[in-house]
Amino acid sequence: MDSGIGDLRVLEAIRRTPRHLFVDEALASRAYEDVALPIGHGQTISQPFIVGLMTQALVENVEHPGKALEIGTGCGYQAAILSQLFDQVTSVERIKELYKRSRDLSFTLGYRNVQVLYGDGLQGWKEGALYDAILMAAAPEKLPDTLLEQLKIGGRLVAPIGGRGFQRLIFIERQEGGYPQKVIEHVNFVPTVAGTE
Ligand code: SAH
């Protein structure tokens, strides 16, 4: 991948989002470094560059991005970025404490079009389907069919796929006849875990 984030809407959303408020106070001074940081429960807030890259893949050359689903809310940073680009964002988290914290934080910060839900995101969220965009913020070994089925024709999905430590970041734009896939980048996300805790 040559390059950076060129989509102005994505850059503006990143610029406007106070990342220091999504991490623990002790880490706030590092919040604007381009690195992943711990958010508790063995999870991390994603690296801003990767957040930008994934968001850009979903909205680039799309005039009206519509409705997005995120799997793995974590601290809610990625959802906050998406909320500035999409009409509606549904984000699913399986760890109750992270779910509660990011639900409250996105409310406090005024991201009114973000709905944070507690559940197993590997099942997607059928009630809100179909989606224009689906983003996985944790890596499954294999892309769940359930998620693909919740994507509109013409809708886009971006997800890290593979085992712990090294995954392919894949991009799919659903066609009438299937799910053509390309690899955007190599990345390192936490793995998905089935069920809730
Ligand atoms: N989106 C976050 C990064 C999240 S880290 C950000 O903005 O920085 C990945 C998150 O995915 C963790 O919080 C983890 O608990 C969650 N996760 C893992 N498997 C999941 C599943 N099956 N359903 C929902 N969330 C899941």
Side-chain angles (χ1 to χ4, degrees):
M1 176 97 202
D2 52 354
S3 88
I5 317 297
D7 189 296
L8 295 180
R9 293 174 299 174
V10 175
L11 290 171
E12 178 63 13
I14 291 175
R15 199 185 61 75
R16 282 170 40 181
T17 308
R19 192 169 181 256
H20 66 283
L21 300 179
F22 292 84
V23 297
D24 194 82
E25 243 172 278
L27 291 169
S29 66
R30 301 196 55 200
Y32 297 95
E33 293 173 22
D34 190 23
V35 291
L37 294 168
I39 56 171
H41 305 270
Q43 307 302 323
T44 51
I45 180 172
S46 305
Q47 181 193 348
F49 173 70
I50 298 296
V51 168
L53 199 62
M54 292 172 85
T55 308
Q56 175 168 277
L58 297 176
V59 302
E60 202 171 23
N61 303 318
V62 177
E63 211 170 297
H64 188 213
K67 213 160 67 164
L69 172 70
E70 178 190 25
I71 312 307
T73 318
C75 62
Y77 177 72
Q78 171 77 69
I81 300 285
L82 292 172
S83 82
Q84 296 167 66
L85 296 155
F86 286 86
D87 293 336
Q88 177 67 44
V89 178
T90 302
S91 184
V92 187
E93 173 56 53
R94 65 176 294 280
I95 297 178
K96 194 166 246 169
E97 225 173 283
L98 290 176
Y99 147 73
K100 282 191 194 152
R101 208 201 295 163
S102 40
R103 179 197 61 189
D104 294 350
L105 183 62
S106 67
F107 184 80
T108 308
L109 296 180
Y111 299 113
R112 292 290 185 270
N113 58 344
V114 176
Q115 183 187 27
V116 181
L117 300 167
Y118 177 59
D120 179 2
L122 290 170
Q123 308 302 317
W125 195 266
K126 282 210 179 69
E127 290 82 344
L130 303 167
Y131 300 97
D132 298 278
I134 298 180
L135 184 156
M136 294 195 75
E141 294 275 351
K142 182 183 166 295
L143 194 58
D145 288 341
T146 329
L147 287 182
L148 289 173
E149 287 158 12
Q150 294 180 26
L151 197 58
K152 276 185 194 164
I153 306 283
R156 298 178 178 185
L157 175 146
V158 65
I161 307 289
R164 193 180 271 280
F166 186 73
Q167 303 114 18
R168 290 169 302 131
L169 184 63
I170 60 128
F171 173 81
I172 289 173
E173 193 165 65
R174 183 173 185 179
Q175 309 292 318
E176 292 274 2
Y179 304 93
Q181 187 171 312
K182 70 178 192 201
V183 177
I184 303 183
E185 184 56 288
H186 286 96
V187 287
N188 182 3
F189 276 79
V190 295
T192 51
V193 179
T196 52
E197 76 180 55

